[in-house]
Amino acid sequence: MLGEAHYEPVELEIGGTRRTFDIDDPVLPDWIDKKAFSSGGFPYDDKLSSQDYEKTLEKLQVELVKVQFWMQAKGRRVIAVFEGRDAAGKGGAIQATMANMNPRSARIVALTKPTETERGQWYYQRYVATFPTAGEFVLFDRSWYNRAGVEPVMGFCTAEQYEHFLKQTPRFEKMIVEEGIHFFKFWLNIGHEMQLKRFHDRRHDPLKCWKLSPMDIAALKKWDDYSEKRDRMLKETDSNHAPWTVVRANDKRRARINLVRHILTTLDYDGKDKAVIGDVDDRIVQTAAAFLKDDKRA
């Protein structure tokens, strides 16, 4: 068994059916394997081919390099927040975005749990300390939105703190935008069976087993609670100045390409090649309002 931990089988309810999920069993159950890709109402039957993905992504990454030159010349700043359930593909999407950007002016922020000192500060303070200077592109692998999801679900904040966050965050983000920062918020959405498949893959992959934690296992029974918190977060913190962009991510390749396309389409940078960028797939990328109206979402 990879890793030192041993996990007991978990009883889950999926689609009105009780299921037993033993993540330590190296054989992925058929009921997960057959439903994973289509779970959550994913609109495609097959993955985008690796050849099409790599060819398209490379062209888009050339455009991202142009974005960096434009940012440095004009002193522009960009923040992109990547949120989603565990195993939604946030890290991979971030890496695809910045793979060929100059790391001196493009960086990832992935903060650990707050220190005792940070817990006594204004909640947003430790995030603000990492914001970009002129010419910088900062990508948040999780963000202040921990307080809208994992913290209330797992009991890491009080109900009062949660409500205060939902009320204050649109105001906080308005300050970000009014400061002149280009601000993106992405929610990567996956279906229930797809999350289970990715957890199982991590458990039995010697290169990725470290990604699975007891916290992930504890959260398995809280799918509906996470869904409820996600929906309220999207409703309460989606705004004209800082809208949410929901990316259907059962197919990581389509998710990454269309996420990058969205960034490139939004920014008005020098040398922009619209023909190369192409059109964002509206079956993959949705507004928060459209997602919340979709009865097939997970």
Side-chain angles (χ1 to χ4, degrees):
M1 181 61 59
L2 296 171
E4 297 181 358
H6 170 69
Y7 300 111
E8 296 296 328
V10 178
E11 295 295 323
L12 305 172
E13 183 170 331
I14 300 180
T17 302
R18 296 291 297 178
R19 300 285 193 179
T20 299
F21 178 50
D22 183 359
I23 199 169
D24 282 351
D25 186 341
V27 179
L28 183 68
D30 285 346
W31 60 269
I32 295 178
D33 195 31
K34 292 178 180 179
K35 286 277 293 181
F37 196 75
S38 63
S39 61
F42 192 72
Y44 288 94
D45 295 328
D46 300 296
K47 290 182 180 180
L48 182 67
S49 72
S50 59
Q51 183 177 1
D52 287 345
Y53 168 69
E54 291 167 5
K55 181 179 179 181
T56 302
L57 183 60
E58 183 177 355
K59 292 179 179 178
L60 296 178
Q61 288 172 337
V62 170
E63 293 296 305
L64 286 169
V65 172
K66 293 181 185 178
V67 167
Q68 273 198 295
F69 282 123
W70 166 74
M71 291 175 61
Q72 292 161 8
K74 304 293 187 180
R76 303 292 189 183
R77 293 167 290 173
V78 174
I79 289 175
V81 166
F82 291 73
E83 291 288 346
R85 300 179 192 266
D86 291 320
K90 299 179 292 297
I94 289 170
Q95 291 298 336
T97 303
M98 69 170 295
N100 289 291
M101 298 175 79
N102 185 342
R104 292 184 178 181
S105 54
R107 55 185 171 87
I108 301 170
V109 174
L111 300 183
T112 58
K113 64 180 182 180
T115 64
E116 183 176 351
T117 298
E118 289 170 336
R119 286 195 294 271
Q121 296 173 342
W122 179 45
Y123 177 72
Y124 306 96
Q125 187 167 337
R126 70 190 192 119
Y127 297 101
V128 173
T130 69
F131 276 16
T133 188
E136 272 196 316
F137 195 122
V138 174
L139 305 93
F140 280 87
D141 187 346
R142 294 197 181 276
S143 67
W144 46 95
Y145 279 100
N146 282 331
R147 181 143 292 178
V150 64
E151 289 190 17
V153 169
M154 302 304 293
F156 297 152
C157 70
T158 66
E160 291 77 13
Q161 289 172 325
Y162 171 61
E163 295 295 335
H164 185 72
F165 174 85
L166 292 174
K167 181 179 179 180
Q168 292 297 318
T169 294
R171 302 175 186 176
F172 168 63
E173 292 175 348
K174 189 172 185 180
M175 290 190 290
I176 295 174
V177 176
E178 289 180 344
E179 175 62 19
I181 297 173
H182 299 279
F183 185 41
F184 297 93
K185 298 190 301 189
F186 295 107
W187 175 267
L188 276 64
N189 201 71
I190 56 172
H192 200 168
E193 288 90 345
M194 179 55 77
Q195 187 191 50
L196 295 176
K197 181 182 184 303
R198 291 182 182 175
F199 278 172
H200 187 271
D201 290 346
R202 288 179 176 183
R203 179 62 173 147
H204 300 281
D205 185 336
L207 296 178
K208 296 181 180 179
C209 57
W210 59 270
K211 288 187 175 184
L212 190 70
S213 71
M215 183 70 68
D216 295 328
I217 304 302
L220 284 176
K221 292 186 177 182
K222 298 180 180 292
W223 177 270
D224 290 341
D225 197 358
Y226 270 104
S227 296
E228 179 186 342
K229 296 298 188 297
R230 173 204 60 197
D231 290 356
R232 188 168 180 210
M233 176 194 76
L234 293 175
K235 182 179 178 181
E236 300 284 348
T237 64
D238 185 64
S239 63
N240 290 332
H241 56 270
W244 277 103
T245 299
V246 179
V247 182
R248 292 190 175 277
N250 280 4
D251 181 356
K252 294 179 181 180
R253 296 167 184 168
R254 284 191 174 90
R256 294 167 186 173
I257 283 174
N258 285 283
L259 185 153
V260 173
R261 276 180 174 153
H262 176 79
I263 293 173
L264 295 172
T265 299
T266 304
L267 297 175
D268 188 19
Y269 59 94
D270 297 334
K272 185 173 184 175
D273 191 332
K274 294 182 180 180
V276 165
I277 296 169
D279 297 325
V280 175
D281 186 345
D282 60 9
R283 300 175 73 187
I284 296 297
V285 174
Q286 296 179 291
T287 64
F291 176 76
L292 290 172
K293 289 180 181 179
D294 190 343
D295 59 5
K296 293 182 180 180
R297 61 200 168 87

